[in-house]
Amino acid sequence: MIKTIQLEKELTKPLYLQLYSQIKRLIEERKLQAHDKLPSIRRLAEELQVNTVTIVNGYNVLEEEGLVYKKVGSGTFVMPNEEIKDKLEPSKEESDELELKKREGIINFGTVAPSPSLFPIQSFKRLLNQVLDRDQGYAFGYQKSQGYLPLRESIAQYVEKYQIEIGSEQIQIVSGAQQGLDVLAKTFLDYGDTVFVERPTYPGAISAFKSRKVELIDIPIEKDGLNLKKLEKLLKRYKPKFLYLMPNFQNPTGYSYSLDKKKELLNLADQYELLIIEDDCVSDLSYLGQPRKSLKALDMEDKVIYLKSFSKLYMPGLRLAFMIIPSSYCEDILLSKYLSDIFTDGLVQRVLDLYFRKEDWQEQLNCLKEKYSQRYQVMITALKKYLPSDIDYIEPEGGLNLWLKLPQQISVSKLHKTLRKDGVNIAPGALFYHTKPRKNRIRLSIAAVTCQQIETGIQRLGQRLKEELEEEKDYRFDDSLMPLV
Ligand SMILES: Cc1ncc(COP(=O)(O)O)c(C=O)c1O
């Protein structure tokens, strides 16, 4: 089995970690059994044509994770199954089953909080230990408000892949994107100011801006982005402090702006001196077609503040996000962050930094994308199979959300209640409007549901929708209910 191992020097992932991942995979797949002896360090180094230190380091990581044990003078052996059982990431079937059990049967399309089974716990544990060994008490001391410098450097390097070229001094680390929104609200907004938002939009942003007693004006989002005619008309009338938007896989609609609209929007921003806040939670999760460009990558005039959360791509409990800030605003934003909580947890910043430096961050993204993409495909197939044909939606080709427009006669609040009894939760669309909510929209998210749950849940949704539509038809044509003339 060891013969299947191949280390590739061109990859950015260090060789010892490639070795570790591949042996771990062999153990997970039970291709290496309890007490199997791993090849000697010298023999494997010769076979793979690498330095013996690579093998020693790879074996050390396996030992740290409790996947192998060493016997002095004899070599390295695979741990017995019972002992490693809880140290392995659960297999897909196991984690799906676990997920099902944990949620006590509720099929939750109503949340964008990702399934805990997708969190990279083992690598986090290992890197956490490395940070503690390396930095000791410094990891718990006061940190710089702007964020841990090595992490800011890692992020600056990482966003280059997305054609965003900035220095670490333009990055501000925040404790989650929600805090980012709050910090921006504190920095820019005062009583009586105006803010433009998409219609519909993320309710957490509405709350953060409203807390500053501002006037929110919403601009309809269409399937290819904001209605720019409406935006321009409003820009002639108002001088908003900023426009808040999500150009890729918007929450709640899943819509993405076309490249033309992104460029046109930046032209308008230039013309009307409009500051834009781009909230980018999930643009990395593009399952089909071209990767989506962020507005920031196209922003030549420094009109965009870019906000990115690690909640959907890593783990929400870490409360980590960052902002890329045009230099003229850096000082004011830094002060607001300082006044909010002084700094973001230094320990988790250090672990995330090691994740970028030592682990292959790309591998984490690829793994997430693969899992979410499977769910997305199952969701699209199930919607086509089970929903009545008069339900309108687009296939967003990425992200976590689908936005359904139901026939006017369907009551979403009744549907929500009935589905809860069926063990299915959905997000009523009205939650995402701050004025005059559209009553016949719902958001379905694939973040916290397994493929099996999607199939079952959409079947139940389809059934209820058909019943509601039938009831409505019967009601309309039931002449016993017609007034006697
Ligand atoms: C669009 C959007 N922005 C911000 C947030 C908040 O993210 P965080 O967990 O980083 O605070 C969310 C959470 O769902 C979101 O959907």
Side-chain angles (χ1 to χ4, degrees):
M1 280 309 151
I2 287 291
K3 290 212 164 45
T4 59
I5 292 178
Q6 284 190 338
L7 305 186
E8 294 184 33
K9 293 190 173 132
E10 308 76 58
L11 295 182
T12 48
K13 184 167 177 172
L15 292 172
Y16 78 96
L17 284 176
Q18 292 185 36
L19 177 68
Y20 147 78
S21 304
Q22 293 185 35
I23 296 184
K24 182 178 172 184
R25 177 62 57 93
L26 291 172
I27 298 173
E28 278 172 343
E29 290 170 354
R30 313 284 186 243
K31 289 179 179 154
L32 281 173
Q33 304 281 343
H35 306 297
D36 275 358
K37 185 171 181 205
L38 298 187
S40 74
I41 287 164
R42 185 166 309 187
R43 204 192 99 208
L44 193 55
E46 273 168 16
E47 259 179 47
L48 298 174
Q49 297 187 343
V50 292
N51 198 304
T52 47
V53 178
T54 302
I55 313 295
V56 171
N57 287 343
Y59 282 9
N60 281 347
V61 180
L62 287 164
E63 190 187 23
E64 271 173 36
E65 288 202 359
L67 297 172
V68 299
Y69 64 97
K70 288 179 184 157
K71 264 202 228 164
V72 186
S74 306
T76 306
F77 301 84
V78 176
M79 269 292 182
N81 284 350
E82 320 75 71
E83 302 210 19
I84 60 172
K85 210 163 182 280
D86 2 314
K87 296 185 177 92
L88 295 174
E89 307 282 356
S91 69
K92 197 182 162 309
E93 294 73 34
E94 279 165 348
S95 65
D96 280 1
E97 210 178 297
L98 215 75
E99 213 51 52
L100 272 169
K101 274 190 198 146
K102 280 201 183 127
R103 298 188 186 271
E104 292 163 355
I106 280 279
I107 301 176
N108 197 354
F109 294 118
T111 177
V112 279
S115 319
S117 63
L118 300 180
F119 300 161
I121 300 304
Q122 290 308 325
S123 54
F124 183 82
K125 195 162 136 189
R126 178 159 42 80
L127 296 179
L128 179 69
N129 282 333
Q130 285 181 24
V131 167
L132 291 172
D133 289 344
R134 186 192 66 189
D135 296 351
Q136 314 256 322
Y138 291 102
F140 299 99
Y142 274 93
Q143 315 285 321
K144 282 205 178 303
S145 295
Q146 195 177 354
Y148 180 56
L149 180 60
L151 174 62
R152 288 190 283 121
E153 287 168 347
S154 293
I155 290 174
Q157 206 180 350
Y158 166 62
V159 296
E160 266 177 31
K161 279 197 185 134
Y162 296 95
Q163 286 106 44
I164 301 177
E165 286 183 23
I166 41 130
S168 58
E169 71 287 351
Q170 275 180 268
I171 295 179
Q172 171 70 59
I173 304 289
V174 279
S175 310
Q178 189 60 39
Q179 183 186 60
L181 293 170
D182 190 49
V183 163
L184 292 171
K186 272 192 194 142
T187 309
F188 291 106
L189 304 180
D190 264 321
Y191 177 80
D193 284 340
T194 306
V195 169
F196 286 1
V197 295
E198 294 163 317
R199 173 180 171 81
T201 189
Y202 166 59
I206 298 179
S207 309
F209 305 151
K210 272 194 163 171
S211 72
R212 307 291 296 171
K213 309 275 183 282
V214 297
E215 184 184 8
L216 285 186
I217 295 184
D218 48 16
I219 303 163
I221 180 168
E222 297 162 348
K223 289 171 186 171
D224 65 344
L226 208 63
N227 180 329
L228 294 183
K229 283 210 175 87
K230 188 100 196 257
L231 172 66
E232 185 161 18
K233 219 165 133 190
L234 288 164
L235 281 171
K236 287 184 175 149
R237 245 177 92 193
Y238 296 92
K239 179 85 187 98
K241 281 296 168 86
F242 54 73
L243 161 65
Y244 166 75
L245 41 77
M246 293 159 268
N248 293 311
F249 309 125
Q250 203 247 12
N251 185 7
T253 59
Y255 300 166
S256 294
Y257 291 36
S258 65
L259 192 56
D260 283 348
K261 270 206 172 168
K262 285 176 186 164
K263 289 181 182 164
E264 234 179 291
L265 182 60
L266 288 170
N267 285 338
L268 283 176
D270 201 20
Q271 197 181 332
Y272 290 90
E273 297 204 353
L274 172 69
L275 175 66
I276 296 177
I277 293 175
E278 173 178 24
D279 187 348
D280 174 13
C281 270
V282 288
S283 64
D284 318 64
L285 299 178
S286 168
Y287 313 127
L288 302 160
Q290 292 292 314
R292 308 289 160 141
K293 258 205 165 157
S294 71
L295 215 51
K296 189 68 203 165
L298 301 164
D299 172 32
M300 297 304 138
E301 305 295 329
D302 249 5
K303 287 278 177 272
V304 178
I305 293 181
Y306 177 84
L307 170 62
K308 186 164 191 73
S309 169
F310 286 108
S311 291
K312 308 294 182 286
L313 305 177
Y314 198 37
M315 298 188 267
L318 299 179
R319 308 310 302 133
L320 273 176
F322 69 92
M323 295 198 273
I324 299 174
I325 304 167
S327 358
S328 53
Y329 303 120
C330 282
E331 248 180 59
D332 291 345
I333 291 177
L334 183 64
L335 181 63
S336 299
K337 162 67 182 172
Y338 181 83
L339 295 175
S340 283
D341 64 349
I342 310 185
F343 60 87
T344 293
D345 185 330
L347 180 63
V348 295
Q349 287 194 63
R350 282 155 206 261
V351 177
L352 181 62
D353 176 49
L354 274 198
Y355 211 81
F356 277 114
R357 284 170 198 268
K358 289 207 159 190
E359 295 280 316
D360 197 346
W361 176 253
Q362 200 55 43
E363 196 173 289
Q364 157 75 0
L365 282 187
N366 291 346
C367 175
L368 267 191
K369 251 169 94 166
E370 194 187 314
K371 299 227 161 106
Y372 283 135
S373 162
Q374 279 170 3
R375 293 182 189 180
Y376 173 81
Q377 299 295 352
V378 173
M379 177 64 118
I380 295 294
T381 312
L383 291 175
K384 286 183 182 151
K385 189 164 152 195
Y386 297 116
L387 290 199
S389 56
D390 39 3
I391 310 291
D392 188 25
Y393 61 92
I394 65 154
E395 296 176 23
E397 302 190 342
L400 299 171
N401 296 318
L402 281 113
W403 186 241
L404 271 52
K405 182 177 166 199
L406 312 180
Q408 282 295 346
Q409 64 266 36
I410 294 208
S411 153
V412 168
S413 60
K414 183 172 162 209
L415 179 72
H416 186 217
K417 276 188 205 135
T418 331
L419 280 170
R420 286 296 292 236
K421 284 187 200 137
D422 292 343
V424 177
N425 188 35
I426 55 168
L431 298 174
F432 304 95
Y433 297 86
H434 76 99
T435 51
K436 297 192 202 123
R438 294 252 185 221
K439 298 231 165 63
N440 62 334
R441 307 285 201 277
I442 59 171
R443 188 193 71 181
L444 300 178
S445 171
I446 55 168
V449 281
T450 64
C451 290
Q452 195 189 330
Q453 286 179 317
I454 293 172
E455 177 82 17
T456 316
I458 298 302
Q459 190 174 11
R460 287 182 198 165
L461 170 67
Q463 184 58 35
R464 288 297 180 192
L465 284 171
K466 281 178 197 148
E467 283 166 16
E468 290 286 317
L469 288 170
E470 278 304 309
E471 218 175 84
E472 193 55 36
K473 220 163 56 192
D474 289 351
Y475 174 78
R476 268 190 269 142
F477 297 106
D478 181 354
D479 55 10
S480 67
L481 293 169
M482 297 289 265
L484 290 174
V485 283

